[in-house]
């Protein structure tokens, strides 16, 4: 890659397209999640918990790459809305374990269906999800390596 990439117009910059796509994904998921009273970050937490339930807050934080300070208000809202339960660990009273409620377990299929409907409306069904995800994971791994060097 050479420095001529910086001579490109805004619309031809990779960073701008990634920024727009990120906003687009947030809006698309926002539309799908609105009937459930969920935000996109709350949904990410539920996804992590649907993969592995009954975990420490630290596990969720590490898994979705969100600081505990940012995550705690999201978890508190999910608790108030009845999506999760938070209990102190028996082994360490300072550690909190997060568990899905029956509401979140029963709503998983309906939420997934609402998201799939939004994806279909965006004409994204022709995009190879696996190849696109692999590319983004590779890019994110490189970003993680840069972050590790900074610390």
């Amino acid at each position: 890659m050479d420095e001529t990439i910086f001579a490109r117009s805004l619309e031809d910059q990779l960073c701008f397209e990634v920024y727009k796509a990120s906003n687009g994904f947030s809006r698309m998921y926002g539309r799908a999640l609105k009937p459930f009273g969920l935000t996109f970050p709350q949904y990410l937490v539920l996804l992590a918990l649907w993969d592995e339930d009954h975990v420490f807050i630290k596990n969720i934080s590490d898994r979705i790459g969100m600081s505990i300070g940012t995550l705690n208000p999201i978890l508190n809202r999910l608790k108030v809305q009845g999506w999760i339960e938070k209990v102190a660990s028996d082994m360490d009273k300072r550690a909190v374990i997060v568990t899905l409620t029956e509401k979140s377990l029963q709503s998983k299929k309906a939420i997934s269906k609402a998201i799939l409907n939004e994806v279909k409306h965006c004409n994204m069904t022709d995009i190879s999800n696996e190849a696109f995800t692999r590319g983004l994971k590779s890019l994110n791994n490189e970003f993680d390596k840069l972050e590790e060097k900074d610390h």
Side-chain angles (χ1 to χ4, degrees):
M1 188 179 304
D2 62 37
E3 292 183 20
T4 61
I5 65 165
F6 301 109
R8 296 178 186 162
S9 69
L10 172 67
E11 292 78 11
D12 293 330
Q13 295 285 336
L14 175 63
C15 62
F16 182 61
E17 290 303 319
V18 170
Y19 171 77
K20 285 178 32 180
S22 175
N23 286 335
F25 266 95
S26 292
R27 287 190 307 273
M28 179 185 72
Y29 276 82
R31 286 189 302 272
L33 298 169
K34 188 175 183 178
F36 303 95
L38 291 168
T39 65
F40 186 48
Q42 289 172 328
Y43 173 68
L44 295 177
V45 170
L46 290 177
L47 277 176
L49 289 167
W50 284 327
D51 281 350
E52 185 180 4
D53 195 8
H54 199 76
V55 296
F56 292 106
I57 290 176
K58 173 94 171 87
N59 295 72
I60 300 169
S61 171
D62 292 344
R63 185 94 189 276
I64 63 178
M66 192 178 288
S67 74
I68 291 177
T70 301
L71 183 58
N72 270 323
I74 294 168
L75 292 172
N76 290 338
R77 285 191 301 274
L78 284 169
K79 182 180 176 193
V80 167
Q81 294 171 316
W83 293 99
I84 63 165
E85 293 175 357
K86 292 167 56 177
V87 295
S89 168
D90 291 337
M91 296 168 31
D92 181 355
K93 296 298 178 191
R94 297 169 296 171
V96 176
I97 297 173
V98 181
T99 305
L100 293 167
T101 62
E102 195 61 35
K103 172 184 176 177
S104 56
L105 293 169
Q106 290 180 356
S107 299
K108 181 181 179 183
K109 188 173 184 175
I111 292 169
S112 298
K113 189 178 262 189
I115 291 168
L116 182 59
N117 285 336
E118 281 294 325
V119 169
K120 287 177 180 177
H121 286 108
C122 291
N123 292 321
M124 291 176 30
T125 52
D126 291 337
I127 297 172
S128 169
N129 183 45
E130 292 80 16
F132 195 58
T133 301
R134 267 194 314 274
L136 288 173
K137 281 185 179 188
S138 176
L139 181 61
N140 285 326
N141 284 335
E142 293 302 318
F143 287 141
D144 290 343
K145 288 178 191 174
L146 288 173
E147 181 116 357
E148 288 172 8
K149 286 182 185 177
D150 289 344
H151 289 100

